[in-house]
Amino acid sequence: MYKYTFAPQVDMLEIEASFLLAVLATESLHGESQVRLEAKHAMDVDRRTCVIDAGNLVGRDLNSLFVKFVGREFGEDAFTVREVPVS
């Protein structure tokens, strides 16, 4: 699992839009039903965080696409990412 935390200057509506774009791109690779079943995630706009479970291929692809889209649009300094141990 990867937890993203976004800087205060980053518009969270834009982060959500980037996430939806990453979901659509992941659906093109794996199909809508596989993404619905396997792409576990949680977005918390108030806390400015997003968690993506990258424990399977679909989740890893979603994670890779999301980090690329966000990094490209907002810059690498707009967020931090850390691995969260699964309990």
Side-chain angles (χ1 to χ4, degrees):
M1 302 237 297
Y2 292 94
K3 182 177 184 178
Y4 295 85
T5 304
F6 301 96
Q9 73 272 15
V10 176
D11 183 347
M12 288 303 291
L13 290 176
E14 294 294 323
I15 294 296
E16 286 182 304
S18 295
F19 184 79
L20 290 175
L21 185 60
V23 168
L24 288 172
T26 306
E27 286 176 355
S28 350
L29 295 171
H30 299 284
E32 183 180 351
S33 58
Q34 279 309 114
V35 171
R36 288 180 139 217
L37 292 170
E38 297 183 26
K40 295 175 178 59
H41 63 278
M43 179 81 64
D44 188 331
V45 173
D46 293 332
R47 290 188 176 155
R48 307 184 65 74
T49 61
C50 179
V51 177
I52 299 174
D53 182 351
N56 57 51
L57 181 58
V58 175
R60 284 190 296 277
D61 285 345
L62 174 61
N63 187 67
S64 295
L65 290 162
F66 180 65
V67 74
K68 184 63 175 181
F69 291 160
V70 170
R72 183 115 185 190
E73 184 169 350
F74 301 102
E76 300 296 323
D77 295 335
F79 64 94
T80 59
V81 61
R82 67 180 177 90
E83 193 168 359
V84 178
V86 179
S87 46

